[in-house]
Amino acid sequence: MAPAKTISIPYIEGDGIGPEIMRATRCVIDSAVNKAYGGDVRLAWMELLAGEAAFRAYGEYLPKETLQEITQAKVALKGPLSTPVGGGIRSMNVALRQKLDLYCSIRPVRYFEGVPSPVKEPQKLDVVICRENTEDVYKGVEWKRGSDEAIALLSILRERLGVELREDSGIGIKPISEFASKRLVRAAIKYAIQKSRTSVTLVHKGNIMKFTEGAFRDWGYELAKAEFGDATITEAEIASSGRPRPDGKVLVNDRIADNMFQQILTRPSEYSVLATPNLNGDYLADACAAQVGGLGLAPGANVGDSAAVFEAVHGTAPKYAGKNIANPSALMLSGVMMLEHLSLGEASRSLMKAIERTLAEGTLTQDLARMSGSSRACGTKEFSEAVAARI
Ligand code: NAP
C-alpha cells in the first residue's frame, strides 16, 4: 500500500472570532479531504503564532518564525488579526502581505442560494476582484500634519515644484509603479484564462490621477497586448473591426472607479474579473460582498510568486468573539480556494457543494438569518457540523 501523501498546512488562528471560525473550518476541510481521498492524502496542520497570541508568547506581533514557516510551506490558512492600537506596527495583515510579497489579492464574490440579499437579482453577480496588494495606500507612506517630514515636503513642493499646499496638511504619497501594475494585471489575465472567465476590467480613477491610476490602466492594456495578444481583445479592437466580439478571447476593458460602482449594481452580469489598484479594490470587494449577503460570505487569497495565504475578507468582529455566533463561511470558502490551489480539486468541490447545500437548506448564522427576518439562527459550531454532515 502506498504511504499517505502528507501536506503541511501552517495556520494562524487569529484574534477575536479567529479561533472559533478556524476550528470550524479545519474540521470541514479535513472531512472533505478524507471523503475525497480516503487515507491517501493527509493534511498536517501546523499552528503559527501572529497577532495577540504571538505578543503574549514572544512580545512581538509577527514573529520571524511565522514568516519563515509560511515561506517554506508556500501556503497558509489565516484567521483575522486585529490591528494593534497605539502604533508600533501599522497592520499585521498588511505587513504579512508585504513581507511575503503576496502581491495579488483574489476575492471571488458570488451568490449562494438561500442567502438573503439587499438586491433583487443577486445571482447576476459573479466576479473575482484581483487587487494590487503592495502599493498605493498600502505602501503607507504618509506624514502627520506639522511633522518635520511634512514641513520638509511642503517646502520642497513649494520651492522646487511650484506646488502650494496648505501648511496644516497631512501628506500622503500614492505610488503606483509599472512593475507592480503589470504583474497584477498579468495575474488577473492568467486567472481569467485558467478559469474560463470572459473579461478582465481595469478599474481606475485615471480621469483625475493620470500618472498613477491612469498609468495603471495604460500599463494594463500594454501588458495584455504584449503578453496575451492572441488570447485577449479590447473594446476598441472590437469597435474598429466592425465585427461582433469573437468567442474564446478574454475581453480586456476599463472602467472609471465611480462608474464601476454603479455598473456592478445595475449591470453585474457584464463583469467577470476586475483588476484594480489597492484602494479601489478594497472598497469594491466589500461593496460586492454586501450585494450577496455580506462579509460573512467573502473569501480571499493573497498570492505571490512563492507563497499564498488564504483568509476571509472580514476582520476579528470582536463583539462576537467566543460567543459561537460568527459565520465561519468566509474562512471555509477561503479553504475551498486553498484546496484548489493545492491541486486537491475533488476535496475543494466537495466542500463547496456542502456549503452550498447547507445555505440553500436554510441553515444560517445570525448575520444572514437576521436579514431574512428569521429569529432562528445556528451557531458557528452547529453550522460547521451541518456542513460536515453534507460532505
Ligand atoms: P470586522 O471585524 O470585519 O467586523 C465588522 C462587522 O462585520 C461586524 O461587526 C459584523 O457586523 C460583521 N462581521 C464580520 N465578520 C463576521 C462574521 N464572520 N460573522 C458575522 N458577522 C461578521 O471589521 P472591523 O470591526 O472594522 O475590524 C475589527 C478588527 O479586525 C480591526 O482591528 C481590524 O484592523 C481587523 N481587520 C482584520 C482583517 C484581516 O485580518 N484580514 C480584515 C479587516 C479588519 P454586525 O456588527 O453588523 O453584526
Side-chain angles (χ1 to χ4, degrees):
M1 206 172 67
K5 178 180 167 191
T6 301
I7 304 173
S8 177
I9 313 279
Y11 71 98
I12 295 168
E13 274 199 331
D15 305 321
I17 59 172
E20 50 202 303
I21 61 171
M22 182 60 79
R23 208 174 307 125
T25 299
R26 284 174 50 205
C27 162
V28 296
I29 290 177
D30 280 336
S31 297
V33 169
N34 234 335
K35 170 85 181 183
Y37 312 107
D40 292 345
V41 177
R42 199 178 73 82
L43 302 185
W45 295 97
M46 180 193 350
E47 183 173 3
L48 302 178
L49 294 186
E52 289 163 9
F55 193 76
R56 281 192 300 271
Y58 303 123
E60 55 178 332
Y61 285 102
L62 192 54
K64 63 175 182 313
E65 293 74 17
T66 294
L67 294 169
Q68 278 165 358
E69 292 290 355
I70 299 176
T71 308
Q72 201 172 339
K74 299 184 171 34
V75 71
L77 186 65
K78 174 186 161 296
L81 295 173
S82 56
T83 303
V85 182
I89 190 157
R90 221 170 233 278
S91 154
M92 265 160 315
N93 302 300
V94 176
L96 192 66
R97 292 168 203 170
Q98 293 203 336
K99 290 202 161 130
L100 296 170
D101 200 22
L102 307 174
Y103 61 84
C104 181
S105 153
I106 303 178
R107 294 182 171 179
V109 187
R110 54 157 279 201
Y111 175 66
F112 288 89
E113 198 193 323
V115 172
S117 153
V119 301
K120 284 190 192 144
E121 296 180 298
Q123 69 284 357
K124 287 191 171 172
L125 183 72
D126 179 4
V127 293
V128 179
I129 297 150
C130 293
R131 162 191 174 209
E132 207 290 321
N133 232 357
T134 64
E135 294 195 330
D136 192 359
V137 295
Y138 255 20
K139 201 73 196 172
V141 187
E142 59 168 5
W143 290 279
K144 198 173 170 179
R145 158 207 170 150
S147 63
D148 291 347
E149 294 87 350
I151 291 169
L153 272 166
L154 286 170
S155 84
I156 290 172
L157 288 169
R158 186 174 50 250
E159 284 154 27
R160 299 218 199 134
L161 303 174
V163 177
E164 192 69 52
L165 299 178
R166 291 184 190 281
E167 285 299 326
D168 59 353
S169 300
I171 305 278
I173 290 185
K174 173 189 175 77
I176 291 191
S177 71
E178 178 176 356
F179 172 79
S181 301
K182 284 191 168 171
R183 72 175 174 173
L184 182 275
V185 175
R186 181 181 299 115
I189 295 178
K190 273 190 185 165
Y191 183 96
I193 293 170
Q194 273 166 13
K195 309 278 178 190
S196 304
R197 286 194 162 257
T198 50
S199 63
V200 173
T201 302
L202 310 168
V203 183
H204 59 89
K205 190 67 188 159
N207 53 328
I208 302 296
M209 288 168 280
K210 299 185 191 314
F211 307 123
T212 50
E213 299 265 338
F216 173 85
R217 172 203 55 214
D218 296 345
W219 289 323
Y221 277 125
E222 252 176 61
L223 180 283
K225 192 169 188 299
E227 297 186 18
F228 300 95
D230 293 342
T232 60
I233 189 157
T234 62
E235 282 177 342
E237 285 166 345
I238 296 172
S240 68
S241 77
R243 288 194 293 274
R245 178 179 164 182
D247 287 337
K249 288 203 176 195
V250 175
L251 174 69
V252 178
N253 56 8
D254 73 280
R255 296 289 179 268
I256 293 176
D258 34 349
N259 181 29
M260 187 73 248
F261 271 88
Q262 68 111 12
Q263 297 232 335
I264 207 68
L265 262 173
T266 56
R267 300 155 74 159
S269 54
E270 290 179 23
Y271 296 95
S272 183
V273 174
L274 309 179
T276 78
N278 188 264
L279 186 59
N280 295 331
D282 200 11
Y283 296 154
L284 260 177
D286 279 26
C288 290
Q291 269 176 243
V292 294
L295 286 181
L297 283 167
N302 296 299
V303 182
D305 291 332
S306 51
V309 174
F310 295 82
E311 64 174 328
V313 170
H314 64 71
T316 59
K319 69 181 176 189
Y320 297 137
K323 294 189 177 155
N324 193 38
I325 285 178
N327 185 351
S329 303
L331 191 59
M332 288 181 180
L333 292 166
S334 308
V336 167
M337 295 172 78
M338 183 182 78
L339 290 170
E340 195 185 352
H341 175 81
L342 293 169
S343 303
L344 301 175
E346 205 178 322
S348 171
R349 285 188 293 278
S350 125
L351 179 53
M352 179 60 110
K353 280 210 180 91
I355 297 169
E356 285 171 345
R357 277 184 54 202
T358 307
L359 294 168
E361 289 169 20
T363 308
L364 303 177
T365 42
Q366 66 88 30
D367 53 320
L368 303 178
R370 75 183 172 196
M371 280 205 293
S372 60
S374 165
S375 56
R376 277 188 43 234
C378 71
T380 311
K381 185 163 175 286
E382 293 69 36
F383 185 85
S384 160
E385 286 163 358
V387 173
R390 285 163 181 76
I391 287 173

